């Protein structure tokens, strides 16, 4: 599971179901909702075993910006253990996405820039998550019909 601090536009770009940490107005402790679907300015969330349609503005109002993205254990992007293995798997994903393989460092920086990540050239959890979200085809999605 990738535990990141992010913003709604990046969640929309990744297009993956996610668990959001929410600030509850009547409690001191945060609560969590599963963001299941996005459609226009509305979201379908699951909380306390019920599915609710809520506006994105309500999500923004109470969301702490902490997001937990479930990882499929079968994806090589999720299971790459060593730094060398992560680089090789990330390079292959970048090539699948159409980035130039002749200069992997430049391709990585370009990808990070284009996906609203910090362009630091590091293959960290956010970069791996974005590569998974954009390069894997058999995965769940928040918006139907989008890759």
């Amino acid at each position: 599971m990738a535990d990141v601090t992010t913003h709604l536009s990046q969640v929309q770009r990744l297009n993956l179901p996610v668990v959001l940490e929410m600030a509850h107005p009547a409690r001191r402790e945060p609560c969590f909702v599963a963001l299941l679907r996005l459609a226009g300015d509305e979201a379908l969330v699951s909380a306390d075993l019920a599915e609710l349609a809520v506006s994105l503005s309500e999500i923004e109002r109470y969301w702490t910006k902490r997001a937990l993205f479930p990882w499929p254990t079968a994806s090589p992007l999720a299971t790459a253990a060593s730094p060398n293995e992560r680089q090789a798997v990330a390079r292959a994903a970048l090539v699948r996405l159409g980035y130039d393989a002749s200069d992997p460092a430049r391709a990585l920086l370009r990808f990070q820039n284009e996906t609203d990540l910090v362009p630091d050239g590091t293959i960290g959890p956010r970069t791996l998550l974005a590569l998974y979200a954009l390069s894997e085809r058999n995965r769940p999605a928040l918006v139907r019909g989008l890759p």
Side-chain angles (χ1 to χ4, degrees):
M1 179 146 334
D3 184 346
V4 298
T5 301
T6 189
H7 46 86
L8 191 55
S9 63
Q10 193 167 57
V11 169
Q12 290 170 312
R13 183 173 295 144
L14 292 174
N15 195 26
L16 292 170
V18 61
V19 176
L20 304 176
E21 181 183 73
M22 307 297 282
H24 194 288
R27 297 182 195 159
R28 292 175 77 171
E29 297 295 318
C31 57
F32 295 86
V33 300
L35 180 59
L36 305 174
R37 203 55 75 209
L38 292 173
D41 290 336
E42 214 171 64
L44 179 66
V45 300
S46 177
D48 294 328
L49 302 176
E51 289 186 359
L52 308 164
V54 296
S55 70
L56 291 183
S57 62
E58 285 295 299
I59 297 282
E60 287 279 19
R61 182 175 173 194
Y62 294 107
W63 183 30
T64 66
K65 306 303 183 241
R66 181 179 177 207
L68 301 152
F69 290 91
W71 275 92
T73 55
S75 172
L77 287 164
T79 59
S82 71
N84 287 342
E85 191 179 356
R86 272 193 302 277
Q87 285 181 350
V89 170
R91 237 178 281 141
L94 287 167
V95 169
R96 279 195 310 276
L97 290 169
Y99 290 88
D100 185 7
S102 66
D103 189 351
R106 187 168 183 218
L108 178 61
L109 287 171
R110 188 172 142 224
F111 173 79
Q112 289 174 324
N113 227 0
E114 291 173 359
T115 54
D116 202 22
L117 296 168
V118 174
D120 61 3
T122 302
I123 303 169
R126 289 175 190 257
T127 300
L128 288 171
L129 181 63
L131 285 168
Y132 167 72
L134 298 172
S135 68
E136 298 282 335
R137 293 295 160 230
N138 292 328
R139 62 166 181 79
L142 285 174
V143 180
R144 290 187 175 120
L146 290 180

